[in-house]
Amino acid sequence: MATLYRSIWASDDPDAVDAADRAVVGWAEGIAARHHRPLPSGDARTRASEQYRFVLRRDAHDDPGDTKIVKAVRLVFVESHRDGSRWTTTVRAWSGGSCTGEGAKAWTWIDVDADARDLTEPLFAKPPGFIADLLTTTSAALGGVSLLPRTMRYHGEDGAEDLAGLLTLSDRDVPVVVFGGLAAEADERAVQVFDAAVQRTTRDVAGLATVAVVDAAGLDELDGALGEGFGVHRGAMRVYLPALDPAGDATTRHLEIRAERFRDRPALAGRIAVNQLAPVSSMRRAPDSWDRASERLDDRTPGGMVEKVARESARVTDLESELVAERRTAEEVIEEFGDLQHEVTDLRDRLAVATAELARVRGERSEEGLEVIDLAPSHARDCSDAAALARKHLGAYLEFPTEAGVDLELLDRQAAGPAWGEQSWRALRALAFYSRARSRDGYDGDFFGWCWNSRHPMAWPANPRKLAMRESKTVMERWPESRTFPVDGEDLAVQSHIKISSAGMAPRIYFTWVDRTRTVHVAYFGRHLRNTRT
């Protein structure tokens, strides 16, 4: 198990322990309820959902007569996911005389630990959902520096001097992420991306660092106050770790990320900041008063309960990992079958081309009587190209509005983009040939039946791994709006979809038959929509 996130702060609020207790319990109950595995009601020390999918353990100490530790609470929330990963969020909060001796009325300590069965799937640090509210209500600070869940703004020379003073504090223990403001003449798109990057970073580093923005008018002043090479450029981001030494090397500890890195992906700024801050945070040491608080809490924990919960949670995770492995084996077999079907289709394509060429050479056949879809190219470069080819060659039988193609350029940039484009083009051609069979040749079944029975060389693999004619009841109950598209002048729930691949954001093609136009309508072609597994 690895500690991915750690945040420790002091508070001058004597009610900080109660605030942390309420926030964490409410957050844990909400997560379990959203996943249809609610925690049982009551004040039991350990509350576990069905199959131990979610477990909340709460140990509390409350003794007004205790001169050292008046209140203390320890909450451990364990989430066991279907993919075999397990996330453990541990929150500790305590107050009393021992805290006062350390210059605080209360302390809060939050750890997020995780482990996974599949080592190829990285686990990323992320702050718990309650962290922003808790930072605000408990007036969090560390080493005299406020740990804010919002962005601080610094303007002009005076603001730059104030920020430089904060960054160069000798006892500063809180990292600061600074963004350089844009020029006044920056275009609207650049401003939108910049604001999105600042907002996302502020959310992602909550509890780990404070985020600041210094406007363009103060950038030169900041560079001069910190020393050459320690400032931040316009639109860029810089992570200032503690112990900023203007006489040292700015490039090794205080990383600057130029605006070009996240110009098209504002969320990347937050991910970069977290990746630099999280390992540092995991080494942060709790104050000495925690030892006394821990003793009080351990005295109230029934013997063996902690170990029992850990064993049961581990057992559930192991069983779910085995189930995931079996499912993957089955999926791989089905995937291999689908690949073989695609290979057969590709060979049939080549045979058709070779036969046509042979007929042309012999003078036995011309292109007279063939339609545009018969003469369409056999390959597409990527998803965008597949969409363009469909509109150019398949329009007689396939209605494909421009707005139905969503985030195709994003799909094109993925490593599997060319392969997805090739398979998507094959799927779109299959839909067009099905549409022709239904509108011209009198076929009266659905697309699955046509793919299964027609033996057409362009038929799409008719198996649940590659094609679904309807969504599950759960999906349609929870996300009906994401499957509702404009079709023939009205909003319609479209469930039939082709699955290009099972990998990540691999595209889906949602389609439906329209009686009025006697064509297949492509309602959506883009990245994987949200469902129970995504």
Side-chain angles (χ1 to χ4, degrees), residues 29-77:
E29 290 175 341
I31 289 180
R34 283 197 300 273
H35 288 82
H36 307 288
R37 294 287 191 280
L39 294 171
S41 58
D43 297 325
R45 184 169 279 108
T46 300
R47 299 161 61 189
S49 71
E50 181 183 347
Q51 297 178 340
Y52 278 80
R53 181 67 53 78
F54 300 100
V55 178
L56 175 64
R57 191 179 76 246
R58 177 182 178 273
D59 300 316
H61 164 78
D62 187 352
D63 183 0
D66 190 334
T67 59
K68 298 298 183 181
I69 301 295
V70 175
K71 283 187 177 183
V73 65
R74 176 174 54 207
L75 302 110
V76 181
F77 183 56

Side-chain angles (χ1 to χ4, degrees), residues 149-282:
R150 62 181 183 277
T151 307
M152 298 187 298
R153 304 278 176 172
Y154 293 89
H155 305 283
E157 294 184 2
D158 292 340
E161 289 182 1
D162 292 340
L163 178 57
L166 169 64
L167 296 176
T168 54
L169 284 175
S170 59
D171 58 348
R172 175 174 64 89
D173 202 23
V174 175
V176 182
V177 181
V178 178
F179 284 85
L182 300 177
E185 62 272 13
D187 62 71
E188 183 179 357
R189 170 60 180 166
V191 173
Q192 290 175 346
V193 172
F194 180 78
D195 290 343
V198 172
Q199 182 179 8
R200 181 61 180 266
T201 303
T202 303
R203 187 188 75 183
D204 287 351
V205 303
L208 300 178
T210 292
V211 178
V213 176
V214 56
D215 63 14
L219 291 179
D220 290 339
E221 182 69 23
L222 179 65
D223 194 50
L226 295 178
E228 185 177 354
F230 280 88
V232 59
H233 293 81
R234 290 183 180 180
M237 174 186 77
R238 189 157 213 161
V239 180
Y240 293 91
L241 297 174
L244 173 62
D245 180 9
D249 185 358
T251 62
T252 56
R253 282 181 50 80
H254 312 285
L255 178 67
E256 182 179 34
I257 308 300
R258 293 301 182 99
E260 289 80 5
R261 286 284 303 278
F262 51 88
R263 175 171 294 162
D264 297 322
R265 299 173 60 191
L268 186 60
R271 178 57 60 202
I272 293 172
V274 168
N275 285 345
Q276 187 177 16
L277 294 172
V280 178
S281 78
S282 66

Side-chain angles (χ1 to χ4, degrees), residues 61 76 82 85 98 119-120 143 160 184-185 226 265 286 306 322 369 387 401 414 424 462:
H61 164 78
V76 181
R82 292 184 181 276
S85 64
S98 294
L119 299 181
T120 64
E185 62 272 13
L226 295 178
R265 299 173 60 191
V306 175
E322 293 177 12
Q414 306 306 309
S424 298

Side-chain angles (χ1 to χ4, degrees), residues 86-103:
R86 183 170 57 198
W87 295 79
T88 303
T89 302
T90 305
V91 180
R92 310 163 182 89
W94 63 100
S95 63
S98 294
C99 300
T100 304
E102 295 169 332

Side-chain angles (χ1 to χ4, degrees), residues 287-305:
D288 293 338
S289 58
W290 166 245
D291 292 336
R292 291 184 182 272
S294 178
E295 290 175 0
R296 305 296 194 274
L297 294 172
D298 290 343
D299 289 342
R300 301 182 60 85
T301 303
M305 179 60 71

